[in-house]
């Protein structure tokens, strides 16, 4: 009894000493302990996400991948797997688990090493938020005290929710939501039992036990977790066996990018960085752009396919590189896979290696796809590229084009629409289609932009062939000569001065002597044909260069330049010479689309914008754009008088959050509604021409290819610069304006011309010189086919003070005759002709009647 008594006294003394020591440690460390109350308002570092206007994910920015979830949104099996593995008594202890500590201590004494951990989930949460991972006793003691404080402050469910959202789980993923996306490409709620068990096993060693690093180690650890779940009666033996049989892919999944719009994503990223600084990357904010996901896909497809078509008709430039030389041993499948893994893909363009060549076919190995075959139809286009102006003879057999061992580029044929992953994701998805076409990375480039003319929303934007290939945004940054795309603005200035669509302008050669320079300026039509006096409608629709110069002269150079500033064009981008009428001025595609919006919306200047709104991580509104919108009726006190606008280099229409008392921003009216209507009429004729073909009076505009859209509510204008260095098409449809551009980044390089390829049918090629109608307009047409697919035909709306009068087709004067010699034309009231044509004078109109000596112009401008 004495021994027992002494043992009890010793035990009490030890307990007292232990408790005193703990209390002493607590008060000693208390000043160093963090304020755990901050966990009540903790903001987890969450990546910034960029969305389209219709809530489709475009991009995600931030070093840490995190998808915060509420506990009720996490699958029950995942929660049970975490508790079974990390802290089976989580709901019964007070933050520290004495049983677990005792068990771990016994294991240390028995084995001599720490084979079992004793940290509870609450302790791990304390370490993750407030401490480091250094293995020191003092850190462990601090961890226990902080865990005790956390248990007093938060409920068990709040602790578990914070833990599951905070914990690092490998491959930059933080929290179970991000891990589900990274390792399995799915939402956490959709995880299977085996997948949930795998994620639950990652906290032990997230960098080495994940399936991307090692499938074997990940499988072993998953099975350990499943066994713990069975031991804790969370699952049955049958469920364990089924989960063990689940296969792991070892593949990394990025965020599920739904819209391919990397140039817009970069605009949004730069804008957010400028507005909110580096914190934007971890803010969890959602940036909603003005992009329409359907129209963005249409623009991307139309622009890139058109660019590749242009590039391929100019000839094949050969293989990218030689993987093995002739006579050397061919690569094995493993060697091909390893080699191609390091080669980039550019959108639809995939790298491939030629493994063998037959008479009319070739066997190839495609990155992430495997073995496939190129048919003769897939490569017969590939005659040799010599220069931008010349191509070699059409190939006769596959060996004229390809050699085994070459690395080439392939893309899916037009009738195949494979699903490609976003070009910014970590990995690319395999695709199942096997119909491929030989291709190449284009030397030329492209841009495409579409905006809503009523409020300036940029609804689709393509800044180049491929963002990975080149991050330069040609839609917003590339200042290029606009060619004939400037002519509608010149004609608008003439209408503003009282000219009409029936005013005769002399389509005859100009030969103007420059005494100071000792040279003659001789602008020419393209093609160099002339029809003599012609109406302004025809002059713009058929893009007559000499007529544009004469129209400019009728207004005056400086007055024209000042008028063009109304559309937001910078005066220093507009030359102080008559070459402005031929497109010598330089603008970005977005600026040109903005200018055409004035015609489409009835005369109002709208500012393009890209960012619609920003939401905080919990859905609160942080920013809301207030665009300048068109208002034609019932605009309150807002003035809509004609005004010049001050051109600006600002890329964004940045405004403060909308206040209920803040006055709405209406777009200023810069030309009259009547002026805009008459210009639209000329742009309509660019597509549909005029006259009656059955009676021999029919004619086409330069944009006639758009007639295939079979819509009478569209219009546009081709644009081709001198020497065909830039090709444009600018046009409108109901509620949309779009601009397409094709050219080389090297301003000195011409788009060239092509000869006929005897391997192709006539309807498969377009030989001849490159120009806006052939080189850029196809992209515009393909885009509009999608954009206007479900949009009803818009009836022509005739503004007040516009009259429709029958005139003589040749003279533009009034006529009482019907039939092929007359037509109806629109006029702004007061500008209509006052005289009737005298039939005896019909034949007196002469092509050179307005051409005087030494290039002096007379009555017909």
């Amino acid at each position: 009894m004495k021994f027992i008594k002494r043992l009890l006294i010793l035990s009490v003394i030890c307990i007292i000493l232990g408790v005193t020591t703990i209390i002493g440690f607590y008060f000693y460390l208390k000043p160093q302990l963090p304020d755990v109350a901050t966990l009540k308002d903790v903001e987890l570092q969450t990546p910034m996400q960029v969305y389209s206007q219709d809530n489709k994910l475009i991009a995600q920015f931030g070093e840490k991948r995190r998808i915060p979830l509420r506990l009720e949104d996490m699958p029950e099996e995942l929660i049970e797997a975490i508790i079974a593995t990390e802290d089976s008594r989580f709901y019964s202890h007070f933050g520290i688990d004495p049983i677990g500590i005792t068990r771990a201590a016994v294991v240390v004494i028995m084995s001599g090493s720490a084979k079992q951990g004793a940290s509870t989930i609450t302790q791990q949460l304390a370490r993750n938020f407030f401490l480091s991972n250094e293995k020191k006793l003092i850190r462990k003691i601090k961890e226990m005290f902080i865990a005790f404080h956390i248990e007093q402050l938060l409920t068990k469910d709040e602790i578990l929710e914070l833990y599951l959202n905070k914990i690092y789980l490998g491959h930059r993923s933080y929290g179970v939501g991000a891990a589900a996306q990274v390792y399995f490409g799915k939402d956490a709620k959709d995880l299977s039992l085996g997948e949930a068990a795998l994620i639950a096993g990652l906290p032990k060693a997230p960098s080495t036990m994940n399936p991307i690093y090692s499938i074997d180690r990940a499988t072993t650890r998953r099975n350990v977790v499943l066994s713990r779940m069975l031991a804790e009666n969370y699952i049955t033996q049958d469920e364990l066996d089924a989960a063990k049989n689940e296969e792991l892919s070892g593949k990394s999944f990025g965020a599920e990018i739904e819209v391919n719009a990397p140039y817009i994503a970069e605009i949004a990223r730069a804008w957010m960085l400028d507005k909110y600084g580096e914190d934007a990357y971890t803010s969890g904010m959602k940036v909603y752009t003005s992009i329409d996901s359907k129209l963005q896909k249409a623009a991307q497809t139309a622009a890139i396919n058109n660019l590749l078509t242009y590039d391929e008709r100019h000839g094949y430039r050969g293989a990218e590189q030689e993987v093995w030389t002739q006579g050397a041993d061919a690569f094995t499948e493993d060697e091909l896979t390893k080699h191609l893994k390091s080669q980039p893909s550019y959108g639809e363009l995939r790298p491939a290696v030629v493994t063998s060549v037959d008479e009319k076919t070739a066997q190839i190995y495609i990155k992430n796809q495997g073995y496939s075959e190129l048919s003769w139809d897939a490569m017969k286009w590939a005659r040799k590229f010599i220069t931008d102006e010349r191509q070699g003879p059409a190939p006769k057999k596959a060996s004229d084009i390809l050699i085994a061992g070459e690395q080439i580029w392939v893309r899916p044929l037009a009738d195949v629409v494979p699903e490609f992953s976003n070009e910014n994701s970590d990995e690319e998805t395999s695709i199942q289609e096997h119909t491929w076409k030989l291709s190449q990375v284009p030397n030329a480039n492209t841009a495409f932009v579409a905006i809503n003319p009523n409020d300036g929303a940029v609804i689709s934007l393509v800044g180049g062939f491929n963002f990975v290939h080149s991050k330069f945004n040609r839609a917003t940054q590339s200042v290029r000569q606009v060619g004939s795309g400037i002519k509608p603005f010149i004609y608008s200035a003439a209408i503003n001065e009282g000219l009409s669509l029936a005013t005769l302008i002399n389509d005859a050669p100009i030969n103007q002597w420059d005494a100071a320079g000792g040279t003659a300026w001789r602008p020419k039509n393209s093609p160099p044909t002339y029809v003599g006096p012609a109406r302004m409608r025809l002059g713009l629709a058929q893009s007559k260069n000499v007529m544009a110069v004469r129209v400019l002269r009728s207004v005056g150079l400086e007055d024209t330049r000042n008028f063009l500033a109304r559309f937001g064009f910078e005066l220093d981008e507009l030359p102080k010479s008559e070459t402005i009428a031929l497109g010598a001025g330089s603008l970005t595609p977005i600026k040109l689309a903005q200018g055409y919006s004035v015609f489409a919306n009835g005369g109002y200047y709208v500012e393009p914008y890209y960012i619609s709104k920003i939401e905080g991580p919990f859905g609160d509104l942080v920013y809301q754009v207030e665009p300048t919108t068109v208002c034609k009726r019932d605009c309150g006190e807002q003035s809509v008088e004609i005004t010049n606008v001050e051109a600006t280099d600002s890329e964004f229409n940045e405004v403060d959050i909308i206040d209920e008392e803040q006055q709405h921003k209406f777009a200023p009216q810069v030309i009259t509604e009547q002026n805009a209507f008459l210009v639209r009429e000329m742009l309509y004729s660019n597509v549909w021409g005029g006259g009656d073909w059955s009676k021999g009076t029919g004619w086409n505009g330069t944009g006639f290819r758009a007639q295939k859209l079979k819509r009478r509510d569209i219009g546009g204008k081709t644009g081709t610069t001198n020497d065909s260095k830039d090709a444009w098409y600018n046009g409108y449809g109901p509620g949309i304006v779009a601009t397409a551009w094709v050219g080389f980044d090297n301003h000195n390089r011409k788009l060239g011309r092509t000869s006929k390829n005897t391997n192709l049918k006539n309807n498969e090629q377009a030989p001849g010189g490159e120009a806006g109608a052939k080189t850029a307009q196809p992209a515009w047409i393909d885009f509009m086919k999608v954009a206007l697919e479900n949009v009803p035909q818009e009836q022509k709306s005739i503004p007040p003070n516009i009259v429709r009068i029958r005139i003589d087709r040749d003279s533009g004067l009034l006529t009482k005759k019907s039939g092929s010699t007359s037509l109806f034309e629109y006029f702004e009231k007061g500008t209509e002709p006052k005289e009737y044509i005298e039939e005896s004078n019909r034949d007196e109109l002469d092509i050179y009647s307005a051409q005087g000596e030494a290039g002096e112009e007379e009555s017909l401008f």
Side-chain angles (χ1 to χ4, degrees):
M1 289 295 295
K2 266 187 182 182
F3 174 75
I4 295 173
K5 184 177 180 180
R6 287 174 181 173
L7 184 62
L8 288 173
I9 293 172
L10 180 63
S11 299
V12 170
I13 292 172
C14 288
I15 291 171
I16 293 171
L17 285 174
V19 171
T20 303
T21 302
I22 292 172
I23 293 172
F25 263 118
Y26 175 75
F27 282 104
Y28 172 72
L29 294 174
K30 186 176 181 180
Q32 304 175 35
L33 298 179
D35 181 10
V36 298
T38 57
L39 292 178
K40 278 284 188 180
D41 303 308
V42 68
E43 291 187 9
L44 297 171
Q45 292 186 2
T46 306
M48 176 182 74
Q49 294 180 314
V50 181
Y51 289 87
S52 64
Q53 60 170 267
D54 48 339
N55 203 32
K56 299 292 181 67
L57 184 62
I58 292 175
Q60 180 170 285
F61 295 99
E63 183 178 342
K64 295 182 178 180
R65 297 170 173 169
R66 180 179 276 117
I67 304 173
L69 300 173
R70 299 196 182 278
L71 195 63
E72 55 266 29
D73 297 327
M74 300 178 192
E76 189 68 26
E77 291 174 332
L78 176 60
I79 295 172
E80 292 170 348
I82 287 286
I83 291 174
T85 309
E86 296 296 321
D87 189 355
S88 61
R89 281 175 292 278
F90 172 71
Y91 279 102
S92 60
H93 62 63
F94 53 88
I96 303 160
D97 184 7
I99 297 176
I101 293 173
T102 302
R103 185 189 66 244
V106 170
V107 170
V108 170
I109 293 170
M110 298 296 293
S111 65
S113 62
K115 293 184 177 180
Q116 287 191 8
S119 292
T120 64
I121 285 176
T122 314
Q123 286 177 265
Q124 292 182 54
L125 183 68
R127 181 169 66 248
N128 283 329
F129 271 103
F130 302 115
L131 301 171
S132 68
N133 286 321
E134 60 180 349
K135 294 184 178 180
K136 292 184 178 180
L137 179 61
I138 195 69
R139 193 271 295 167
K140 195 69 175 177
I141 295 172
K142 286 182 181 180
E143 179 184 292
M144 295 168 69
F145 288 145
I146 295 170
F148 181 73
H149 278 195
I150 291 173
E151 291 276 345
Q152 293 178 316
L153 179 71
L154 303 176
T155 67
K156 287 289 188 180
D157 284 353
E158 288 174 333
I159 292 169
L160 189 58
E161 181 178 295
L162 267 177
Y163 172 80
L164 292 173
N165 280 311
K166 175 70 174 178
I167 191 72
Y168 177 61
L169 296 171
H171 276 269
R172 293 176 27 228
S173 62
Y174 291 78
V176 296
Q181 182 62 243
V182 168
Y183 297 118
F184 303 109
K186 60 175 66 173
D187 293 336
K189 62 182 176 60
D190 298 323
L191 292 172
S192 67
L193 173 60
E195 292 166 344
L198 186 144
I199 290 176
L202 291 174
K204 180 177 177 66
S207 297
T208 58
M209 288 187 172
N210 68 75
I212 298 173
Y213 179 84
S214 171
I215 289 181
D216 290 340
R217 296 190 68 176
T219 302
T220 301
R221 179 61 179 165
R222 179 198 65 185
N223 294 343
V224 169
V225 173
L226 290 169
S227 297
R228 287 291 306 138
M229 293 181 73
L230 179 67
E232 295 292 329
N233 296 317
Y234 287 129
I235 60 174
T236 65
Q237 183 64 49
D238 288 343
E239 289 174 323
L240 181 147
D241 293 338
K244 278 186 174 182
N245 289 327
E246 292 181 20
E247 292 187 7
L248 301 178
S249 69
K251 184 178 181 179
S252 171
F253 295 85
E256 191 175 347
I257 303 300
E258 300 171 278
V259 185
N260 185 8
Y263 290 96
I264 278 287
E266 174 57 21
I267 287 174
R269 184 203 66 81
W271 190 84
M272 289 291 290
L273 190 65
D274 180 65
K275 192 171 180 68
Y276 299 104
E278 294 287 341
D279 290 343
Y281 292 134
T282 57
S283 64
M285 286 196 247
K286 293 183 177 181
V287 184
Y288 289 88
T289 67
S290 55
I291 292 299
D292 180 288
S293 62
K294 176 185 175 183
L295 298 187
Q296 176 62 27
K297 181 178 180 181
Q300 187 79 20
T301 300
I304 303 310
N305 284 349
N306 178 62
L307 177 66
L308 292 172
T309 298
Y310 158 82
D311 186 74
E312 289 167 5
R313 68 173 169 255
H314 281 261
Y316 182 55
R317 293 183 294 276
E320 183 74 11
Q321 61 174 293
E322 193 175 46
V323 178
W324 67 80
T325 59
Q326 294 187 58
D329 291 338
F331 275 25
T332 64
E333 184 171 354
D334 288 342
E335 290 173 324
L336 288 169
T337 301
K338 182 179 180 181
H339 170 78
L340 290 173
K341 187 176 182 180
S342 64
Q343 305 302 310
S345 295
Y346 298 128
E348 289 188 346
L349 247 60
R350 292 289 181 97
V353 175
V354 180
T355 57
S356 65
V357 179
D358 301 317
E359 177 69 18
K360 293 283 187 175
T361 60
Q363 304 303 312
I364 58 174
Y365 190 87
I366 308 172
K367 179 180 180 179
N368 292 337
Q369 171 69 26
Y371 288 104
S372 189
E373 181 180 89
L374 285 180
S375 67
W376 180 241
D377 284 341
M379 66 175 103
K380 64 184 181 182
W381 63 269
R383 52 187 177 169
K384 184 179 179 181
F385 171 88
I386 300 175
T387 69
D388 293 320
E389 308 283 337
R390 294 178 56 217
Q391 301 80 43
K396 300 301 182 185
K397 54 185 183 296
S399 58
D400 292 339
I401 306 167
L402 302 174
I403 300 173
E406 290 181 333
Q407 180 183 316
I408 59 173
W409 296 96
V410 294
R411 64 180 176 115
L413 282 170
D415 58 340
V416 177
V417 186
E419 291 294 330
F420 290 93
S421 64
N422 182 270
E423 55 195 27
N424 290 319
S425 63
D426 295 335
E427 295 289 330
E428 295 176 34
T429 57
S430 289
I431 55 180
Q432 302 303 316
E433 290 79 358
H434 296 272
T435 308
W436 296 86
K437 178 181 181 180
L438 176 66
S439 191
Q440 58 193 352
V441 176
N443 279 343
N445 227 301
T446 191
F448 193 97
V449 62
I451 69 176
N452 182 334
N454 296 313
D455 66 359
V458 177
I459 51 183
S460 61
L461 183 144
V462 179
F465 161 64
N466 184 272
F467 188 76
V468 174
H469 187 258
S470 171
K471 294 175 173 56
F472 180 64
N473 190 338
R474 293 153 190 85
T476 62
Q477 297 174 306
S478 185
V479 181
R480 305 292 298 215
Q481 283 196 352
V482 297
S484 296
I486 201 69
K487 289 176 183 176
F489 305 98
I490 306 292
Y491 279 69
S492 178
I495 290 172
N496 190 62
E497 292 297 315
L499 275 68
S500 73
L501 305 195
T503 301
L504 291 186
I505 308 295
N506 197 18
D507 181 30
I510 293 176
N511 184 3
Q512 180 172 312
W513 179 255
D514 181 1
T519 58
W521 184 47
R522 298 186 180 93
K524 298 179 180 179
N525 288 342
S526 179
T529 58
Y530 305 87
V531 298
R535 289 172 288 115
M536 274 206 344
R537 179 190 281 265
L538 185 143
L540 180 59
Q542 293 194 332
S543 199
K544 299 285 190 176
N545 287 339
V546 295
M547 289 179 69
V549 173
R550 289 188 167 97
V551 169
L552 171 69
R553 289 177 178 178
S554 73
V555 180
L557 178 59
E558 281 310 303
D559 286 345
T560 299
R561 293 179 73 248
N562 291 331
F563 186 85
L564 265 55
R566 295 186 180 196
F567 298 88
F569 303 154
E570 300 283 353
L571 283 175
D572 59 7
E573 294 173 345
L574 306 173
K576 295 181 180 179
S577 73
E578 291 182 340
T579 58
I580 188 175
L582 307 181
S586 297
L587 298 168
T588 60
I590 186 68
K591 275 288 186 183
L592 203 51
Q594 180 183 12
Y596 273 81
S597 292
V598 176
F599 301 130
N601 66 30
Y604 298 84
Y605 176 86
V606 293
E607 299 174 11
Y609 70 91
Y610 308 88
I611 310 300
S612 296
K613 67 177 180 179
I614 301 169
E615 289 183 355
F618 300 103
D620 51 312
L621 184 64
V622 175
Y623 167 90
Q624 176 74 59
V625 71
E626 185 193 359
T628 53
T629 56
V630 172
C631 178
K632 299 179 182 179
R633 306 285 185 269
D634 302 322
C635 302
E637 299 178 0
Q638 181 69 27
S639 172
V640 290
E641 64 184 9
I642 306 300
T643 180
N644 283 331
V645 296
E646 183 178 346
T648 174
D649 289 330
S650 175
E651 193 172 57
F652 302 99
N653 175 29
E654 180 179 339
V655 296
D656 296 328
I657 295 175
I658 288 181
D659 190 294
E660 290 183 2
E661 299 180 357
Q662 190 175 9
Q663 188 179 17
H664 193 80
K665 291 175 64 178
F666 292 116
Q669 189 171 7
V670 294
I671 63 173
T672 67
E673 192 176 357
Q674 294 75 23
N675 188 311
F677 171 80
L678 294 173
V679 174
R680 284 201 307 275
E681 279 296 299
M682 291 186 282
L683 297 177
Y684 166 86
S685 293
N686 181 260
V687 174
W688 288 103
D692 187 333
W693 292 96
S694 66
K695 296 179 181 178
T697 60
W699 56 275
N700 270 325
T702 58
F704 71 91
R705 290 171 175 84
Q707 291 177 14
K708 67 175 65 174
L709 294 174
K710 298 180 180 178
R711 296 190 66 110
R712 293 282 180 169
D713 54 359
I714 60 174
K717 182 67 186 75
T718 52
T720 310
T721 62
N722 194 32
D723 293 329
S724 295
K725 294 177 180 177
D726 298 271
W728 300 80
Y729 196 78
N730 313 279
Y732 67 88
I736 193 167
V737 169
T739 288
W741 169 85
V742 177
F744 288 95
D745 288 334
N746 178 354
H747 288 242
N748 295 319
R749 191 167 173 182
K750 304 174 186 178
L751 287 166
R753 62 184 301 108
T754 57
S755 57
K756 189 173 182 180
N757 187 336
T758 56
N759 279 349
L760 305 179
K761 299 175 183 177
N762 288 337
N763 62 358
E764 295 177 327
Q765 57 185 316
E770 300 291 347
K774 184 171 77 174
T775 313
Q777 192 186 22
W780 187 91
I781 293 170
D782 288 345
F783 170 79
M784 283 296 192
K785 191 181 300 180
V786 177
L788 303 179
E789 183 178 14
N790 297 314
V791 178
Q793 286 267 354
E794 190 173 72
Q795 297 299 313
K796 185 176 295 185
S797 177
I798 302 175
N801 295 320
I802 291 289
V803 295
R804 188 167 180 257
I805 297 172
R806 185 186 291 276
I807 63 170
D808 178 70
R809 183 179 301 278
D810 294 328
S811 68
L813 297 177
L814 298 173
T815 183
K816 296 178 181 179
K817 282 198 169 188
S818 60
S820 62
T821 63
S822 67
L823 56 85
F824 282 98
E825 186 57 278
Y826 292 101
F827 297 87
E828 185 170 3
K829 190 174 291 185
T831 66
E832 67 271 23
K834 304 298 190 294
E835 299 178 3
Y836 281 87
I837 180 70
E838 293 184 19
E839 294 303 318
S840 59
N841 296 331
R842 174 178 295 278
D843 298 329
E844 293 181 6
L845 291 172
D846 182 79
I847 191 171
Y848 297 109
S849 63
Q851 187 73 15
E853 296 294 326
E856 293 294 328
E857 311 300 334
E858 295 180 357
S859 60
L860 298 180
F861 308 110

